[in-house]
């Protein structure tokens, strides 16, 4: 079983070449993986390409990895020269097997800077590495470096420099904003994939937030699009705290951006600050959109809590959305001042009411079950009644109604626990 | 009844990992120091003896990990990075000999810290690297132990850390991110070192961290709705001593005088019953394999759960046999309190170095 150094050398050369050829043969490889195979059989390559999946038989890793790792370190210590093509291939092989090897990513940074490596190719390698190691911190960190570098390249001053050098006729020479647009959309896809491969993937979702802030610059359209595109995802991952945190981030960003837009519409010659005179018709734009966003999020939350009892994330999400809503409402009522008449019917509903169960009933609840004496059955009729007319915007009374509704006929002990804790939180944190 | 035996094995194939020998030095030596020598010939006692004999060897090795421009890297000839710097300084303080203290080049360490300091008060983990709140803790820990804090070193740092606290009450890696156990500990401990922990929303933080103890398992999760993990026995439970002290300083009269504000017995049960590898070493949860990191942090958490209070007011709650008792660990530095005191005493006899390297604004931030 022991391989001589020459044999290992030959094997490694072959494997590196095979990996390289696989990518040449199939530019659509979208996933890599390790094939459990403790011993080499026959005399065939450990690299397996089936449809768009690249597999590496596990027996070769213990030969491959130390050898390639060592070769790169020798290059770094200037003890052994490697030409640029070899560096690309070697780092590619290394990173597919061990994407947290910072040195290899740093070599690729250098290759990018001297134009040997194309950023899209490098991002593609990262995407593949993430298909096997969806959390890999070094991969995400390197990705952010590449994206920042790409942004600099595509900036007006960066473009001038490039045009002065050589004209590039390939896809890389495409208009910069298009290139960045594609990169942005691709990042969202990569984040979504990685999030799906590991529950509550902190690094993937943090990266997604970074992309919003640094690439999309909190653009309203992107924020809205992200809110719609993640809605289905979170509905299928109801315990994914990171996914819901992302939606909380989107709501906060949207509320902030829309408010600024609202300010600028009101005072085009002034800088947006916290002040605003109430009553102008322009105010209605963001005064309606933002509550609508919160209302829809609460509805989504309600649906999911009812459909999937006992998931702490959903209750945590509800708290946060309600808290954000509560804060926003307070700020904007303060801004409007006490002398302004209610702008819309929303304001009437928003006024604080004492939050005891007796006064919590609203017209639509008259025929519904609120009292604790009815246990067990949660009939279709009651459900229909409760879902009837459109719910008013969230407020303390409606939240207490919601909790009571959940507790009635609740069969999940965790769900009861979370509901009671939520009510306690409403009283101690919001209702003071 | 619960029995506890630890054997520290050396893994031979860690050369591929960038995660560093200094970190292993720290986790191994801290794991060992938590066991006091009780006279019983356990494998651990033997390891301790051999460790004593090889203190010099470890000092020499860590010296080779020190960068000529200051700070420690993941291995000899590697660039300095705050994580191995934290681990190396802690390991040297655990060793606690003159030789160990002298390994640290304080002037260069200060230069290194300035080289990773950012204008907004945060620190990158290494030159050219990214910011996250762990770096502030690593920097504050090493700077306070070795007495190299200058008036400007931590300018703005406490404000930056505070901005990492989110509505949940915990802290994220950078402002705006999800609250996370590891980051929350680092941010809070850093603020304690800087004397600014009272600026946090302590009540919300308390609510968040106490909610992270799992009702069924008894151990802690890192974030809401995640699974339990043995290492959070320290990162999360370790917050309660810090919070207790903070509330005490505020004059809170309702504070317990006998226990931290978490279920100490349940945590000990989780660690002892679920986190031990039969061959020695500790782990995340049943089914996972052992590693040095989990061994270190499960044991640290066990110590936190066993010991309440300080020298003046001390209360022990040892689950299972007496031999399960570990020595107390310092809730900020996570090395034994005597070693902290000894290091601080040694380094405070020396003057604070003068910064000689370039300031952050002068450096090329690429």
């Amino acid at each position: 079983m022991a391989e001589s150094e020459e044999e290992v050398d030959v094997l490694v050369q072959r494997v590196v070449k095979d990996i390289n050829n696989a990518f040449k043969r199939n530019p659509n490889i979208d996933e890599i993986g390790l094939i459990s195979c403790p011993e080499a059989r026959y005399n065939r390559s450990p690299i397996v390409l089936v449809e768009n999946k690249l597999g590496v038989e596990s027996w070769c890793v213990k030969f491959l990895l130390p050898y390639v790792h060592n070769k790169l370190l020798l290059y770094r210590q200037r003890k052994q020269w490697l030409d640029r093509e070899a560096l690309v291939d070697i780092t590619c092989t290394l990173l597919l097997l061990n994407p947290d090897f910072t040195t290899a990513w740093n070599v690729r940074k250098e290759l990018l800077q001297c134009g040997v490596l194309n950023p899209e190719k490098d991002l593609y390698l990262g995407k593949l590495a993430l298909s096997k190691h969806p959390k890999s911190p070094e991969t995400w960190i390197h990705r952010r470096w590449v994206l920042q570098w790409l942004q600099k390249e595509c900036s007006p001053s960066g473009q001038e420099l490039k045009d002065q050098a050589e004209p590039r006729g390939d896809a890389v020479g495409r208009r910069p904003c298009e290139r960045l647009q594609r990169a942005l959309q691709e990042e969202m896809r990569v984040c979504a994939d990685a999030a799906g491969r590991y529950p509550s993937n902190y690094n993937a979702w943090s990266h997604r937030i970074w992309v919003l802030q640094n690439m999309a610059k909190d653009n309203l359209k992107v924020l809205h699009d992200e809110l719609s595109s993640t809605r289905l995802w979170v509905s299928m991952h109801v315990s994914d705290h990171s996914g819901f945190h992302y939606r909380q981030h989107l709501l906060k960003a949207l509320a902030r951006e829309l408010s600024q837009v609202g300010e600028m519409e009101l005072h085009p010659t002034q800088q947006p600050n916290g002040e605003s005179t109430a009553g102008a018709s322009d105010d209605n734009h963001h005064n309606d959109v933002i509550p609508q966003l919160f209302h829809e999020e609460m509805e989504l939350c309600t649906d999911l809590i009812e459909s999937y009892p006992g998931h702490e994330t959903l209750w945590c999400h509800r708290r946060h959305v309600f808290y954000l809503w509560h804060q926003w409402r307070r700020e904007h009522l303060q801004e409007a001042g006490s002398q302004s008449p209610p702008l819309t019917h929303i304001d009437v509903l928003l006024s604080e009411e004492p939050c005891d169960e007796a006064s919590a009933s609203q017209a639509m609840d008259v025929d519904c079950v609120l009292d604790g004496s009815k246990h067990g059955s949660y009939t279709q009729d009651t459900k229909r009644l409760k879902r009837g007319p459109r719910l008013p915007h969230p407020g303390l009374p409606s939240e207490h109604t919601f909790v009571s509704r959940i507790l009635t006929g609740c069969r999940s002990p965790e769900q009861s626990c979370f509901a009671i804790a939520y009510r306690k939180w409403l009283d101690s944190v919001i209702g003071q | 009844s619960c029995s506890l035996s630890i054997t520290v094995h050396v893994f031979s194939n860690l050369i591929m990992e960038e995660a560093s020998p200094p970190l292993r030095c720290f986790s191994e030596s801290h794991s060992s120091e938590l066991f006091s020598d009780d006279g019983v010939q356990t494998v651990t006692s033997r390891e301790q003896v051999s460790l004593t004999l090889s203190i010099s060897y470890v000092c020499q090795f860590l010296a080779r990990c020190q960068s000529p421009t200051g700070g420690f890297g993941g291995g000899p000839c590697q660039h300095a990075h705050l994580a191995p710097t934290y681990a190396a300084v802690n390991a040297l303080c655990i060793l606690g000999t003159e030789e160990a203290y002298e390994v640290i080049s304080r002037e260069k360490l200060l230069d290194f810290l300035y080289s990773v300091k950012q204008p907004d008060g945060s620190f990158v983990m290494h030159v050219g690297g990214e910011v996250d709140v762990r770096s502030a803790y690593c920097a504050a820990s090493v700077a306070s132990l070795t007495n190299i804090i200058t008036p400007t070193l931590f300018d703005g740092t406490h404000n930056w850390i505070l901005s990492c606290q989110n509505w949940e009450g915990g802290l994220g890696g950078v402002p705006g991110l999800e609250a996370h156990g590891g980051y929350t500990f680092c941010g809070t401990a850093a603020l304690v070192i800087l004397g600014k922990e009272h600026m946090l929303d302590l009540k919300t933080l308390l609510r968040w961290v106490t909610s992270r103890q799992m009702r069924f398992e008894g151990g802690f999760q890192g974030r809401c709705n995640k699974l339990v993990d043995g290492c959070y026995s320290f990162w999360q439970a370790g917050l309660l001593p810090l919070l207790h002290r903070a509330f005490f300083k505020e004059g809170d009269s309702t504070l317990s005088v006998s226990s931290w504000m978490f279920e100490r017995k349940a945590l000990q049960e989780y660690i002892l019953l679920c986190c031990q590898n039969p061959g020695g070493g500790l782990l995340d949860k049943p089914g996972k394999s052992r590693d040095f990191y989990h061994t270190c942090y499960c044991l640290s958490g066990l110590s936190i759960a066993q010991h309440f209070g300080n020298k003046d007011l001390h209360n022990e709650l040892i689950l299972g046999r007496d031999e399960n008792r570990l020595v107390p660990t310092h809730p900020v530095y996570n090395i034994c309190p005597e070693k902290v005191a000894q290091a601080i005493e040694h380094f405070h006899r020396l003057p604070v170095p003068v910064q000689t390297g370039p300031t952050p604004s002068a450096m090329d931030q690429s």
Side-chain angles (χ1 to χ4, degrees):
Chain A
M1 265 289 278
E3 312 253 350
S4 72
E5 215 178 292
E6 295 82 40
E7 283 174 329
V8 176
D9 199 14
V10 164
L11 169 69
V12 167
Q13 309 262 25
R14 186 179 172 190
V15 171
V16 171
K17 191 153 149 278
D18 286 348
I19 291 179
N20 193 27
N21 286 339
F23 283 116
K24 285 205 178 100
R25 264 204 331 266
N26 185 349
N28 295 319
I29 294 175
D30 60 13
E31 196 182 324
I32 56 153
L34 216 52
I35 299 171
S36 181
C37 183
E39 270 179 44
R41 287 177 300 174
Y42 318 117
N43 186 27
R44 65 164 188 219
S45 172
I47 305 305
V48 178
L49 179 60
V50 176
E51 293 172 9
N52 292 332
K53 317 295 175 189
L54 183 67
V56 178
E57 288 180 355
S58 59
W59 62 265
C60 77
V61 175
K62 64 178 177 288
F63 301 114
L64 192 57
L65 198 47
Y67 184 92
V68 185
H69 178 115
N70 200 44
K71 235 179 154 165
L72 194 67
L73 284 181
L74 288 173
Y75 162 77
R76 272 307 230 201
Q77 290 161 11
R78 300 185 200 287
K79 290 179 185 160
Q80 205 181 81
W81 173 251
L82 284 168
D83 68 49
R84 288 168 173 183
E85 295 306 320
L87 279 173
V88 172
D89 290 344
I90 273 192
T91 52
C92 176
T93 303
L94 257 171
L95 290 165
L96 287 176
L97 294 170
N98 178 18
D100 277 319
F101 188 20
T102 318
T103 305
W105 285 122
N106 288 341
V107 168
R108 288 181 80 89
K109 285 183 180 70
E110 289 168 12
L111 292 169
L112 262 160
Q113 282 171 321
C114 66
V116 171
L117 195 51
N118 163 313
E120 278 86 358
K121 266 227 166 72
D122 192 59
L123 290 170
Y124 172 62
L125 175 66
K127 177 173 132 161
L128 284 182
L130 290 168
S131 72
K132 191 161 148 273
H133 301 100
K135 291 196 293 177
S136 168
E138 292 303 314
T139 307
W140 292 110
I141 291 172
H142 175 77
R143 224 175 162 76
R144 289 189 274 276
W145 186 94
V146 176
L147 291 166
Q148 279 177 320
W149 189 84
L150 187 63
Q151 283 190 291
K152 261 188 274 177
E153 283 288 291
C154 292
S155 69
S157 48
Q159 262 317 104
E160 279 163 25
L161 287 170
K162 271 175 72 161
D163 292 340
Q164 277 166 28
E166 318 157 12
R168 295 170 86 153
D170 59 0
V172 171
R174 217 175 270 154
R175 274 177 303 145
C177 51
E178 221 180 277
R179 202 175 170 196
L180 284 176
Q181 217 14 61
R182 287 174 156 261
L184 173 66
Q185 282 162 11
E186 179 63 7
E187 275 321 283
M188 298 313 192
R189 265 195 296 270
V190 170
C191 289
D193 281 347
R197 289 183 205 271
Y198 188 85
S200 237
N201 190 333
Y202 194 90
N203 297 338
W205 289 103
S206 303
H207 183 79
R208 203 162 179 167
I209 290 177
W210 182 93
V211 170
L212 278 182
Q213 292 168 333
N214 294 278
M215 287 180 78
K217 313 270 192 239
D218 287 332
N219 169 282
L220 275 172
K221 177 168 190 307
V222 174
L223 292 172
H224 275 296
D225 285 347
E226 282 289 279
L227 204 59
S228 355
S229 70
T230 51
R231 191 188 170 95
L232 180 61
W233 196 95
V234 300
S235 306
M236 297 196 296
H237 298 82
V238 293
S239 275
D240 201 304
H241 192 256
S242 303
F244 282 95
H245 174 268
Y246 184 69
R247 286 185 77 80
Q248 292 153 22
H249 174 88
L250 289 170
L251 283 172
K252 246 196 310 222
L254 274 164
R256 189 182 59 231
E257 296 297 317
L258 284 168
S259 295
Q260 278 176 14
V261 165
E263 301 300 345
M264 277 157 56
E265 279 171 1
L266 279 176
H267 310 284
T269 54
Q270 291 176 19
Q271 293 189 9
N273 52 24
E275 294 165 24
S276 128
T277 52
S281 58
D282 287 314
D283 224 6
N284 286 341
H285 171 72
H286 78 270
N287 251 6
D288 279 348
V289 173
I290 295 175
Q292 187 63 22
L293 284 172
F294 281 114
H295 170 51
E296 282 171 4
E297 196 67 17
M298 291 296 275
E299 273 212 319
L300 171 66
C301 204
T302 298
D303 274 345
L304 294 174
I305 286 178
E306 288 173 345
S307 308
Y308 304 104
H311 288 267
E312 193 175 10
T313 295
L314 297 173
W315 287 96
C316 189
H317 187 60
R318 194 178 190 87
R319 286 190 196 196
H320 195 185
V321 176
F322 188 73
Y323 179 81
L324 281 173
W325 164 240
H326 182 75
Q327 262 193 328
W328 183 88
R329 191 175 66 176
R330 232 188 350 203
E331 275 167 37
H332 284 74
L333 281 183
Q334 272 172 11
E335 279 175 18
S338 50
Q339 64 266 45
S340 73
L343 296 167
T344 64
H345 68 286
I346 297 166
D347 288 327
V348 175
L349 291 162
L350 292 187
S351 50
E352 301 279 12
E353 288 163 29
C355 56
D356 57 284
E357 310 261 82
S359 69
S361 60
Q362 287 149 27
M364 56 171 281
D365 285 334
V366 158
D367 298 319
C368 289
V369 176
L370 276 182
D371 57 293
S373 59
K374 180 148 181 178
H375 301 292
S377 58
Y378 188 62
T379 65
Q380 280 296 86
D381 286 341
T382 12
K383 222 174 173 175
R384 221 184 322 119
L385 274 169
K386 283 166 188 167
R387 292 278 178 91
R390 207 167 156 74
L391 281 166
H393 287 266
L396 273 174
S398 59
E399 284 308 285
H400 278 274
T401 308
F402 172 73
V403 172
S404 305
R405 200 172 82 217
I406 294 292
L407 284 171
T408 310
C410 178
R411 277 181 230 117
S412 155
E414 287 87 16
Q415 183 88 318
S416 301
C417 232
F418 296 141
I420 292 167
Y422 181 61
R423 185 163 59 192
K424 192 170 170 193
W425 178 80
L426 285 171
D427 292 338
S428 57
V429 177
I430 304 288
Q432 343 122 325
Chain B
S1 64
C2 315
S3 72
L4 185 64
S5 69
I6 300 293
T7 314
V8 177
H9 291 289
V10 178
F11 289 79
S12 60
N13 56 343
L14 282 175
I15 46 166
M16 292 305 101
E17 297 183 27
E18 294 280 281
S20 55
L23 281 161
R24 272 185 47 204
C25 284
F26 165 57
S27 44
E28 283 189 49
S29 43
H30 180 53
S31 303
S32 298
E33 74 164 345
L34 285 169
F35 290 93
S36 56
D37 192 342
D38 53 7
V40 176
Q41 267 296 353
T42 61
V43 178
T44 315
S45 298
R46 273 189 251 127
E47 290 276 343
Q48 268 189 295
V49 167
S50 68
L51 187 67
T52 310
L53 292 173
S54 51
I55 282 178
S56 202
Y57 174 75
V58 176
C59 289
Q60 286 165 44
F61 173 75
L62 288 175
R64 281 168 47 222
C65 294
Q66 187 163 218
S67 161
T69 49
F72 293 79
C77 307
Q78 287 192 33
H79 291 302
H81 186 295
L82 275 169
T85 301
Y86 165 81
V89 170
N90 260 8
L92 291 165
C93 289
I94 292 172
L95 299 175
T97 61
E98 285 288 315
E99 182 191 6
Y101 295 144
E102 261 146 47
V103 167
I104 305 167
S105 165
R106 294 164 72 241
E107 296 75 17
K108 290 276 189 292
L109 180 57
L110 183 60
D111 285 344
F112 171 59
L113 293 183
Y114 271 110
S115 76
V116 287
K117 175 84 189 293
Q118 303 300 296
D120 67 355
S122 65
F123 289 80
V124 289
M125 291 300 288
H126 60 96
V127 173
E130 287 202 337
V131 167
D132 72 59
V133 73
R134 292 174 300 157
S135 59
Y137 170 60
C138 294
S141 178
V142 305
S144 56
L145 284 172
T146 60
N147 186 29
I148 60 173
I149 300 182
T150 65
T152 57
L153 182 58
F154 293 110
D155 269 351
T157 303
H158 67 279
N159 284 324
W160 186 86
I161 299 175
L162 289 168
S163 68
C164 291
Q165 182 173 32
N166 73 3
W167 80 282
E168 294 177 80
L171 278 69
V174 300
L177 295 190
E178 206 186 330
H180 178 296
Y183 294 129
T184 305
F185 178 84
C186 289
T188 307
L191 286 172
V192 169
I193 294 173
L194 299 174
K196 302 276 199 271
E197 71 275 23
H198 58 275
M199 295 177 75
L200 284 164
D201 182 344
L202 294 172
K203 286 242 164 76
T204 317
L205 174 51
L206 180 67
R207 189 181 305 122
W208 180 81
V209 65
T210 49
S211 305
R212 302 283 72 78
Q213 185 167 22
M214 313 289 278
R215 201 175 301 271
F216 175 70
E217 295 91 325
F220 280 78
Q221 63 188 177
R223 297 177 269 146
C224 178
N225 217 164
K226 287 219 75 176
L227 297 176
V228 70
D229 183 333
C231 71
Y232 292 114
S233 308
F234 179 75
W235 300 122
Q236 298 283 36
L239 280 164
L240 278 315
L242 300 179
L243 286 170
H244 208 102
R245 188 169 163 276
F247 282 120
F248 181 76
K249 278 167 77 177
E250 284 186 349
D252 191 323
S253 56
T254 60
L255 268 186
S256 167
V257 292
S258 58
S259 180
W260 308 125
M261 288 179 275
F262 71 93
E263 210 350 292
R264 291 159 68 192
K265 209 164 140 250
L267 179 60
Q268 293 186 50
E269 271 184 13
Y270 177 67
I271 297 170
L272 294 171
L273 291 173
C274 305
C275 295
Q276 292 193 74
N277 179 301
L282 291 99
L283 36 98
D284 163 357
K285 57 173 72 63
K288 300 279 184 163
S289 45
R290 66 189 176 183
D291 60 58
F292 294 109
Y293 165 80
H294 282 94
T295 301
C296 175
Y297 287 102
C298 283
L299 289 175
S300 304
L302 184 58
S303 172
I304 296 276
Q306 288 178 344
H307 299 280
F308 167 78
N310 55 23
K311 293 197 302 287
D312 308 318
L313 180 69
H314 191 188
N315 154 311
E316 284 182 12
L317 175 66
I318 314 293
L319 192 74
R321 297 190 271 182
D322 284 344
E323 68 190 39
N324 290 351
R325 183 187 184 279
L326 298 176
V327 300
T329 186
H330 193 290
V332 172
Y333 299 98
N334 195 24
I335 66 178
C336 289
E338 300 77 27
K339 295 292 165 72
V340 172
Q342 197 185 306
I344 287 181
E345 197 203 354
H346 170 90
F347 287 109
H348 271 75
R349 285 191 233 118
L350 305 170
V352 177
V354 175
Q355 179 206 345
T356 53
T359 52
S361 51
M363 295 204 69
D364 177 26
Q365 308 289 348
S366 55

